[in-house]
Amino acid sequence: MWRKASAAALLALAVGYLYHGSPELPEHILQYITLPNFQSSSQSQNSLEQVISAAWETLITLPTRQWSRVAVGVNACVDVVVSGVGLLQALAVDPGSGLDHEVLHSKEDLREAFIHYMERGAAAERFFSDEEVFQRIARAAAEYPGAKLYVGGNAALIGQKLATYPDLMVLLCGPVGPKLHEMLDEQIVVPPDSLQETDEYHLILEYKAGEQWGSTQAPQANRFIFSHDVSNGEMSSLETFVASLEEFEPELVVLSGLHMMEGQGKELWEERLKEAVAAISDIRKDIPIHLELASMTDRDYMNSIMQEQVMPIVSSIGLNEQELLFLSQASEGPHADLPSWKGIPDVGRVSDILLWVLEQHGRSDPSSEADLTRIHFHTLAYHILATVDGYWANQAAAVMAGARVASSQACGLQSVDVSKVELKAPLEFHSSHGEPQEKLSLNPAEPVTVWRRGNVTFHLTPVLVCKQPLRTVGLGDAITAEGLIYSELKTQQPF
């Protein structure tokens, strides 16, 4: 009886506190009672994933002025997607320790490089120097149970994604063989000079999160790509691409494939890079150029792209966390002493490197002659769009659109299924790793966090990470294409 009386007294006391507007109840009372929550928020009733996904659908809007003609070049191929561990076992290769190789010369090099990246859960792409051995591996891959053939190459994949918008005309230039031509969207125009008699094949060795081979276990799903691809390796379609632009009259040019030249050796790439820069420089100055970067290992080559050659003459770049860190390491930029990212890349460090790129190689200084004003950074858990003020519009929608397509496409779906994704992005982070730094937070109901450093604005949105991804290849290209579709160039700022 006295217990009931005590409980009633405690409840009365609690109600008294609430009635008289006390901000909080004493802890010794709270531990005995639980009051009903009369004002539960929508976020407590819905998961954060649901709140973010619903917000994306409301907030992602197309820009006022949309692109109608986009030219994309110059790497294109047929991707053979296969289980990495399964294929290597079929090739009678035993597991062992990992070791990175800038160029693959043998099955042993392939095994070591694959393990090196699998144990890190990181993506990589390498050139296989021995054509005969590569052809044998390619045949085994094509015949492996469950192997699938897809449109491949950054340019072709970006072109395919752009072509899903019915009002957009896409020009694709690259080494297009009969199989690839058959697989391309009808809206894609291929210049006759880009057609060739045989296809270039790239092998994509995929692995799942938690997959084990010997003592190696993948922390997350990803893939290792390799090829013996001379046409793309020499960017042999570049001049054809630039020559096609005059007739096509694009409003935007998307360029990719520079990473393929790295495996050709310094003498070849030095000369070819100069020719590439000369060709790119012939593109009309009022047409913005987006450069899509990919995995590279040669610091001299990366430095040539950044400082002397390509980066100053493009308007926008797209890259992931590996590429961003390597870019800083190659030029001794911020956090260059960091050997690799541990887990989810720190937002403050990423922000520092992005700002440095735009300050050192872009037009954050109005007196600079460089054209670079936009960087689209993507990693598994979140994306950031960093733009110099005054050049680009609709960037909040653009960064969200890129994240949304990453969430849906990884799961093999047309839209986001919140039961199949999870939020991995930090809810709190800093604008810089050093000083001055601003403490920032993510609001799931308005899932774009915005901050400024000088005249550079950063837009961050989380990715709803697919729990069981079906296919990781081409995600970066889909992200880039979607981000560009939703981006608007401000006309008062000529490049």
Side-chain angles (χ1 to χ4, degrees):
M1 192 73 178
W2 64 269
R3 286 181 183 172
K4 288 182 182 178
S6 299
L10 283 170
L11 185 57
L13 184 59
V15 172
Y17 267 92
L18 288 173
Y19 184 77
H20 291 292
S22 177
E24 56 187 24
L25 295 173
E27 278 187 29
H28 69 278
I29 294 178
L30 283 176
Q31 66 182 323
Y32 289 108
I33 63 169
T34 302
L35 292 174
N37 182 5
F38 294 109
Q39 291 183 317
S40 60
S41 70
S42 62
Q43 286 186 32
S44 66
Q45 292 174 13
N46 299 315
S47 69
L48 292 180
E49 288 83 2
Q50 283 176 306
V51 175
I52 290 168
S53 180
W56 281 346
E57 296 311 312
T58 303
L59 298 172
I60 297 175
T61 54
L62 284 162
T64 309
R65 290 190 317 107
Q66 298 171 42
W67 316 106
S68 61
R69 303 171 78 81
V70 179
V72 188
V74 291
N75 59 328
C77 63
V78 175
D79 280 344
V80 182
V81 181
V82 67
S83 160
V85 172
L87 177 62
L88 290 168
Q89 287 174 332
L91 294 170
V93 174
D94 294 323
S97 57
L99 180 66
D100 196 10
H101 294 274
E102 291 188 9
V103 177
L104 309 178
H105 300 288
S106 64
K107 283 197 297 185
E108 281 306 302
D109 286 359
L110 170 62
R111 174 186 66 81
E112 289 175 344
F114 176 78
I115 290 171
H116 175 83
Y117 285 98
M118 180 181 173
E119 64 190 4
R120 288 161 176 76
E125 187 164 350
R126 295 291 180 266
F127 181 77
F128 199 104
S129 64
D130 190 318
E131 182 179 7
E132 189 178 329
V133 174
F134 176 78
Q135 293 298 343
R136 285 204 298 269
I137 296 172
R139 278 195 296 272
E143 293 167 5
Y144 188 82
K148 292 174 182 168
L149 270 58
Y150 295 101
V151 170
N154 306 89
L157 285 163
I158 290 170
Q160 283 284 87
K161 188 64 186 172
L162 292 172
T164 61
Y165 288 83
D167 297 329
L168 184 58
M169 179 81 74
V170 180
L171 174 83
L172 172 66
C173 225
V176 177
K179 185 64 183 174
L180 177 57
H181 201 199
E182 175 191 313
M183 293 192 288
L184 289 174
D185 190 283
E186 292 176 356
Q187 262 176 247
I188 294 178
V189 177
V190 181
D193 288 349
S194 279
L195 298 171
Q196 58 181 43
E197 292 181 6
T198 56
D199 286 282
E200 297 286 357
Y201 286 92
H202 287 205
L203 305 189
I204 291 94
L205 276 54
E206 291 196 320
Y207 49 85
K208 298 183 175 73
E211 187 170 358
Q212 193 138 2
W213 190 35
S215 60
T216 301
Q217 186 171 29
Q220 64 188 36
N222 223 315
R223 80 282 184 191
F224 183 87
I225 305 174
F226 68 104
S227 66
H228 178 86
D229 183 343
V230 178
S231 295
N232 285 306
E234 294 175 352
M235 291 188 81
S236 58
S237 300
L238 182 60
E239 283 78 7
T240 301
F241 179 49
V242 174
S244 304
L245 299 181
E246 189 174 348
E247 184 182 343
F248 185 71
E249 297 183 333
E251 297 159 346
L252 170 69
V253 167
V254 181
L255 179 66
S256 63
L258 283 172
H259 62 287
M260 298 293 297
M261 291 204 289
E262 183 185 53
Q264 303 298 307
K266 187 168 184 177
E267 282 186 22
L268 283 171
W269 67 245
E270 263 188 336
E271 189 57 37
R272 187 65 183 126
L273 198 56
K274 287 176 187 170
E275 294 168 356
V277 169
I280 297 164
S281 299
D282 285 340
I283 298 171
R284 272 189 9 225
K285 296 298 178 194
D286 60 332
I287 302 173
I289 303 168
H290 173 87
L291 172 66
E292 190 68 9
L293 293 175
S295 177
M296 287 181 263
T297 58
D298 187 318
R299 294 191 178 200
D300 289 341
Y301 185 59
M302 177 59 95
N303 263 325
S304 290
I305 289 172
M306 282 181 68
Q307 294 180 10
E308 307 157 29
Q309 311 269 359
V310 183
M311 209 165 284
I313 60 174
V314 301
S315 325
S316 168
I317 60 172
L319 75 179
N320 68 17
E321 74 277 14
Q322 255 88 38
E323 293 139 20
L324 183 74
L325 183 58
F326 183 64
L327 187 146
S328 188
Q329 290 168 340
S331 293
E332 298 182 354
H335 314 298
D337 56 344
L338 197 68
S340 62
W341 301 109
K342 296 214 180 331
I344 297 168
D346 174 67
V347 173
R349 284 190 170 98
V350 169
S351 175
D352 291 342
I353 302 174
L354 293 173
L355 180 66
W356 168 77
V357 173
L358 288 170
E359 286 181 340
Q360 296 296 313
H361 308 287
R363 203 191 276 189
S364 71
D365 180 348
S367 65
S368 169
E369 293 184 1
D371 289 330
L372 182 64
T373 51
R374 178 184 183 272
I375 305 176
H376 192 165
F377 168 82
H378 49 89
T379 187
L380 182 74
Y382 63 87
H383 296 173
I384 296 176
L385 256 173
T387 52
V388 177
D389 294 342
Y391 290 90
W392 298 89
N394 210 43
Q395 295 305 279
V399 75
M400 286 189 285
R404 180 176 63 178
V405 80
S407 300
S408 58
Q409 189 164 308
C411 287
L413 301 169
Q414 293 298 311
S415 58
V416 178
D417 181 342
V418 293
S419 69
K420 295 184 177 180
V421 295
E422 58 187 328
L423 180 66
K424 289 191 173 184
L427 295 179
E428 292 188 337
F429 44 89
H430 290 94
S431 61
S432 170
H433 187 66
E435 297 293 339
Q437 62 176 210
E438 181 184 355
K439 189 173 182 180
L440 301 162
S441 61
L442 176 68
N443 175 7
E446 295 180 12
V448 178
T449 304
V450 183
W451 67 98
R452 293 188 69 203
R453 298 178 67 179
N455 65 339
V456 174
T457 300
F458 298 80
H459 291 82
L460 177 147
T461 197
V463 175
L464 299 179
V465 181
C466 186
K467 295 174 188 173
Q468 295 183 312
L470 297 178
R471 187 165 181 253
T472 58
V473 174
L475 270 188
D477 303 308
I479 290 162
T480 285
E482 204 79 348
L484 288 169
I485 283 285
Y486 283 85
S487 290
E488 182 176 349
L489 183 68
K490 292 187 176 180
T491 51
Q492 69 270 27
Q493 298 286 355
F495 283 97

